[in-house]
C-alpha cells in the first residue's frame, strides 16, 4: 500500500530508501520513544519501502505506523530514524536505475528503522478529513 499523506509512517526491520538528498545523519533522541537513533532528513522526493517486517509485528514508536512488507512511503520530504550509532558511509549508498540527470541515491537498511512523511508530494491530493486512514484505529 502506498502512503503519501503528511504524518503517515512505517516501521520495519529492513527497508530500501531512495531519495535525491539525504542530510548528514546525527544521533538524536526521538521525542515519542526516548530512544537515541541516527536521524536523517530525506528531501527532494523519495520513497521508503518495507523489505523485512518487525518480529514481533508491533510498532515501537508510533501505534499508527504501517508494518506490512511491501508497503511504502512516497513523499517530497520525510524523516528517517535508524537504530544505529554510526552514520552510513558513502560506499553504502547505491545509484538506483533511474535517470542519470536526477541524482537519486538508494540505501538498503538492515537495522530497525522508522520513516515519517513531513511533506507530501505536490501532485498528490490531500486526503479529506472525513475519510480516515486505513491504518488508524
Amino acid at each position: 500500500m502506498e502512503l503519501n499523506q503528511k504524518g503517515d509512517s512505517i516501521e520495519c526491520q529492513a527497508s530500501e530508501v531512495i531519495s535525491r538528498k539525504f542530510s548528514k545523519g546525527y544521533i538524536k533522541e526521538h521525542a515519542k520513544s526516548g530512544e537515541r537513533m541516527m536521524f536523517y532528513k530525506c528531501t527532494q522526493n523519495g520513497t521508503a519501502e518495507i523489505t523485512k517486517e518487525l518480529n514481533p509485528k508491533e510498532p515501537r514508536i508510533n501505534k499508527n505506523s504501517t508494518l506490512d512488507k511491501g508497503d511504502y512511503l512516497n513523499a517530497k520530504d520525510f524523516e528517517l530514524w535508524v537504530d544505529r550509532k554510526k552514520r552510513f558511509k558513502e560506499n553504502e549508498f547505491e545509484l538506483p536505475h533511474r535517470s542519470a540527470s536526477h541524482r537519486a541515491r538508494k540505501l538498503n537498511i538492515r537495522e530497525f528503522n522508522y520513516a515519517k512523511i513531513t511533506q507530501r508530494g505536490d501532485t498528490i491530493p490531500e486526503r479529506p478529513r472525513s475519510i480516515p486512514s486505513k491504518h488508524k484505529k
Side-chain angles (χ1 to χ4, degrees):
M1 173 177 72
E2 179 180 3
L3 304 168
N4 53 31
Q5 299 297 318
K6 185 176 180 177
D8 286 347
S9 62
I10 61 170
E11 292 184 44
C12 55
Q13 192 57 44
S15 67
E16 178 182 274
V17 179
I18 298 174
S19 182
R20 286 191 187 167
K21 185 174 182 183
F22 288 85
S23 68
K24 196 170 194 174
Y26 59 93
I27 294 284
K28 184 175 176 181
E29 186 173 303
H30 194 278
K32 282 189 175 181
S33 71
E35 297 180 57
R36 292 175 52 80
M37 296 189 277
M38 192 60 67
F39 174 77
Y40 294 88
K41 285 289 277 181
C42 300
T43 58
Q44 300 178 4
N45 299 328
T47 62
E49 182 176 350
I50 297 174
T51 56
K52 184 177 180 185
E53 296 177 351
L54 292 174
N55 187 11
K57 197 172 175 180
E58 296 174 5
R60 282 174 46 180
I61 296 177
N62 183 345
K63 66 178 180 163
N64 296 322
S65 290
T66 298
L67 308 171
D68 300 323
K69 184 176 180 179
D71 289 351
Y72 63 97
L73 298 180
N74 184 8
K76 183 174 181 181
D77 299 337
F78 60 95
E79 55 188 42
L80 177 66
W81 297 81
V82 182
D83 192 9
R84 70 183 299 176
K85 305 303 181 224
K86 292 187 177 185
R87 290 186 188 122
F88 289 104
K89 293 183 169 69
E90 197 60 39
N91 65 354
E92 294 180 86
F93 290 92
E94 300 173 31
L95 295 175
H97 300 291
R98 298 209 176 176
S99 168
S101 62
H102 296 138
R103 59 196 185 284
R105 298 190 304 167
K106 179 170 76 170
L107 186 59
N108 288 307
I109 302 171
R110 306 226 186 293
E111 297 95 352
F112 168 81
N113 59 93
Y114 167 77
K116 179 181 172 187
I117 295 176
T118 54
Q119 186 174 355
R120 62 185 182 79
D122 295 333
T123 60
I124 300 168
E126 203 165 331
R127 181 186 307 122
R129 292 190 187 270
S130 62
I131 301 173
S133 173
K134 171 192 144 292
H135 54 84
K136 291 188 180 178
K137 294 178 182 173

